[in-house]
Amino acid sequence: QVQLVEAGGGLVQAGGSLRLSCVVSGSIFSINTVGWYRRAPGKQRELVARISSGGSTSYADSVKGRFTISRDNAKNTVYLQMSALKVEDTAVYYCNMLGLTVYWGQGTQVTVSS
């Protein structure tokens, strides 16, 4: 059974930083593309960042230069380093993996205060 478990969310002031992590179990993590999505209140879920098995990355325009996605295949973990956080980054952040199907974590709340 594939499981994705996120951690690292919380409350931070604007301009601050947080690092999210997502541990994947039950799958061959190293061969799969993994990513982070977010859903802000009243908005649709959107892609934040994605990293392929080969390490290629892509980002939403709104987070380029501020967020960095990385992965540690030895730990079956994907990270999202978030810096220069803005109030509009407030959302529930979800880990996502493209395997035999699409897998999702339960989400972690990130709240950025002004």
Side-chain angles (χ1 to χ4, degrees):
Q1 181 179 359
V2 177
Q3 287 189 317
L4 285 69
V5 180
E6 301 103 332
L11 174 65
V12 63
Q13 285 191 326
S17 299
L18 279 176
R19 187 176 81 155
L20 306 182
S21 62
C22 173
V23 179
V24 179
S25 61
S27 177
I28 306 175
F29 173 80
S30 62
I31 66 172
N32 294 324
T33 293
V34 288
W36 290 93
Y37 285 70
R38 67 186 180 186
R39 177 177 283 156
K43 296 186 177 181
Q44 291 189 334
R45 187 164 52 190
E46 63 174 353
L47 174 66
V48 176
R50 179 183 290 156
I51 184 166
S52 71
S53 59
S56 297
T57 59
S58 60
Y59 297 90
D61 288 342
S62 59
V63 307
K64 282 180 180 177
R66 299 188 299 120
F67 291 10
T68 302
I69 189 171
S70 62
R71 64 191 298 162
D72 185 337
N73 290 338
K75 296 182 178 180
N76 282 8
T77 302
V78 59
Y79 302 96
L80 184 68
Q81 177 67 48
M82 305 185 292
S83 303
L85 282 161
K86 303 176 180 180
V87 172
E88 51 264 43
D89 294 319
T90 295
V92 178
Y93 284 71
Y94 298 90
C95 180
N96 160 280
M97 184 177 73
L98 303 179
L100 294 179
T101 183
V102 180
Y103 301 98
W104 294 94
Q106 81 287 353
T108 185
Q109 176 71 46
V110 171
T111 302
V112 184
S113 64
S114 59

